[in-house]
Amino acid sequence: MKKILIIISVAATLISCGGKEKTVDEIVAGNNLEEINAKKNELTAKQNAILDEIEKLDIAIANLDSSLSIPVITTIEAKVTSFKHYVQIQGNVQTKENIVIYPEYAGVLTKVLVKEGQFVNKGEMLAKIDDGGLNQQLSQMETQLALAKTTFERQERLWKDKIGSEIQFLQAKANYEAQQKAVNQMKEQLAKTTITAPFSGVIDDVMSEQGQVVSPGMNQLFRIINLKDMFIEAEIPENYITNIRTGSQVNVYFPVLNDTVTSTIRQVSNYINPNNRTFKIEIAITNENKMVKPNMTALLSINNYVNDSALVLPQAIISENAEGEKYVYAVKKGKKNRNYAEKRVIKIGKTQNGVAEILEGIANGDIIIDEGARTVKEEEQVLIKKM
């Protein structure tokens, strides 16, 4: 402390003996507000510089003089900030338009019109199966339909003119309608020999070759995928059901792509799986560059809690006693403006990324011990190291 007093004395002497500079009394007597403020600012700057030097000396003395043993600490100020908590879950990329196309008619695959990687539009022809003479049968049936139609129309005119019997008219009508149904059924059968795209997408795999005999439900023809309408499906433990809702923000990380995107939950299932006590959610994602693929793994961070006026502290400075109480040390002023450690029992809420939400025990603006928090003791004098 003698060294500190000597430094203060020397500094005061230098200030008071500054050559031709006016003394404080002379400046005050001059009643010049601008000059008074300037002198005050000058002395304040010198005072702060001296206090900084004193602090350095105090720290050096504490480090060198083992008899003092005053711990040197750093501090952080407790401030109100926004705190968000996230649930970490793994999900899988899915698409509702990812199907394998099977034939609906048995026969020889006479044409394969697409290749793997080719984009096709909805309704576009992909392949053709030999119809086994169905087309010729349809032509004959259409001829019979035309005759049945002519016969029915003539019988209808005669019946309106009260010529002929009602039974003849009804027979002609029934024959015409039956022939119409037969033709429509044949057209439906013939349509099954033409394989078309059920939706717009990319042919991901061609599974059967031209000339191969195929049968319904037996042979896979193509896999078609639409990479535009992609989503992520994940299973969430049921204890989160009250705070995960449609519209909740989600950060989606794709490990394979090393890429993160932000999205929202578009659907929350109302069914809880009794086997694993989870419910499903869907998260829509964009896929403009077509890099996201079905069944790709995604790591989800789902925002399930927000506190816009939270006090948070690093978990590393929070200690726990034998009774299970959690506490930190704050800095309080004591005698001769010295700093002392003050134990604060706290109550914490949620934790995230190494920080904890503090519900009780500290207030906005409190100075909390950071480095050295694990070594200080209650009511122990501390020296604050400026960072």
Side-chain angles (χ1 to χ4, degrees), residues 84-111:
K84 294 183 179 180
H85 185 266
Y86 292 85
V87 178
Q88 310 291 331
I89 294 291
Q90 180 174 306
N92 291 311
V93 177
Q94 304 286 344
T95 174
K96 295 187 185 296
E97 296 184 339
N98 173 20
I99 64 169
V100 173
I101 299 175
Y102 286 83
E104 296 182 84
Y105 188 81
V108 177
L109 196 62
T110 56
K111 294 180 181 179

Side-chain angles (χ1 to χ4, degrees), residues 180-374:
Q180 271 186 322
K181 290 180 180 178
V183 168
N184 289 337
Q185 288 176 353
M186 181 58 69
K187 285 182 177 179
E188 290 176 0
Q189 282 293 104
L190 190 59
K192 292 178 181 179
T193 66
T194 300
I195 312 300
T196 59
F199 51 82
S200 297
V202 176
I203 300 299
D204 193 61
D205 194 5
V206 177
M207 302 174 180
S208 297
E209 298 179 357
Q210 187 169 306
Q212 182 176 340
V213 177
V214 295
S215 301
M218 297 293 293
N219 302 95
Q220 298 179 345
L221 301 181
F222 310 98
R223 177 180 291 278
I224 181 171
I225 299 175
N226 181 2
L227 294 179
K228 289 185 178 180
D229 186 19
M230 308 288 284
F231 66 95
I232 297 171
E233 186 176 77
E235 295 183 340
I236 310 297
E238 67 174 329
N239 55 301
Y240 291 110
I241 200 166
T242 57
N243 48 22
I244 290 183
R245 302 180 179 86
T246 301
S248 295
Q249 181 182 327
V250 183
N251 294 325
V252 182
Y253 174 65
F254 299 102
V256 174
L257 304 177
N258 192 27
D259 186 30
T260 301
V261 298
T262 301
S263 186
T264 56
I265 297 176
R266 74 177 185 185
Q267 182 178 341
V268 177
S269 173
N270 294 310
Y271 173 75
I272 295 178
N273 188 334
N275 296 322
N276 57 11
R277 309 308 303 174
T278 63
F279 61 96
K280 289 185 178 180
I281 62 169
E282 286 186 8
I283 301 158
I285 54 171
T286 57
N287 192 23
E288 296 178 359
N289 58 8
K290 305 295 188 297
M291 293 301 294
V292 179
K293 310 295 183 183
N295 299 317
M296 184 177 285
T297 298
L299 302 180
L300 311 178
S301 296
I302 306 170
N303 180 213
N304 69 321
Y305 175 78
V306 177
N307 185 349
D308 290 326
S309 56
L311 290 170
V312 298
L313 290 177
Q315 286 181 268
I317 70 172
I318 300 175
S319 301
E320 185 174 348
N321 60 24
E323 289 74 33
E325 294 177 325
K326 292 179 172 58
Y327 62 92
V328 295
Y329 284 101
V331 174
K332 71 173 183 178
K333 291 292 182 181
K335 296 178 180 180
K336 298 182 180 179
N337 208 33
R338 292 174 180 172
N339 295 312
Y340 293 88
E342 179 184 36
K343 187 176 182 180
R344 298 279 189 89
V345 176
I346 61 172
K347 180 181 178 181
I348 67 172
K350 297 183 181 296
T351 60
Q352 188 79 50
N353 296 329
V355 299
E357 177 190 28
I358 309 302
L359 304 179
E360 296 177 5
I362 65 170
N364 186 37
D366 284 350
I367 305 301
I368 308 300
I369 296 177
D370 184 9
E371 292 183 15
R374 299 285 187 176

Side-chain angles (χ1 to χ4, degrees), residues 15 24 36-52:
I15 293 171
V24 172
I36 292 172
N37 281 329
K39 189 62 176 178
K40 179 185 176 182
N41 292 337
E42 176 190 344
L43 294 177
T44 301
K46 290 179 179 180
Q47 181 187 36
N48 290 337
I50 292 171
L51 291 175
D52 287 341

Side-chain angles (χ1 to χ4, degrees), residues 113-169:
L113 304 175
V114 293
K115 298 179 180 179
E116 292 176 359
Q118 179 178 337
F119 180 83
V120 294
N121 292 307
K122 181 179 180 180
E124 185 175 337
M125 181 186 289
L126 307 180
K128 181 71 176 174
I129 299 174
D130 180 36
D131 61 27
L134 289 183
N135 199 37
Q136 294 178 353
Q137 293 181 43
L138 177 62
S139 297
Q140 294 174 3
M141 293 175 70
E142 286 177 335
T143 301
Q144 294 172 0
L145 174 62
L147 177 60
K149 180 180 180 182
T150 301
T151 302
F152 166 66
E153 289 174 347
R154 288 181 180 179
Q155 287 294 334
E156 187 177 33
R157 287 195 297 270
L158 290 172
W159 177 246
K160 287 181 179 179
D161 294 336
K162 305 298 182 182
I163 300 173
S165 65
E166 182 180 7
I167 191 66
Q168 289 176 317
F169 166 70

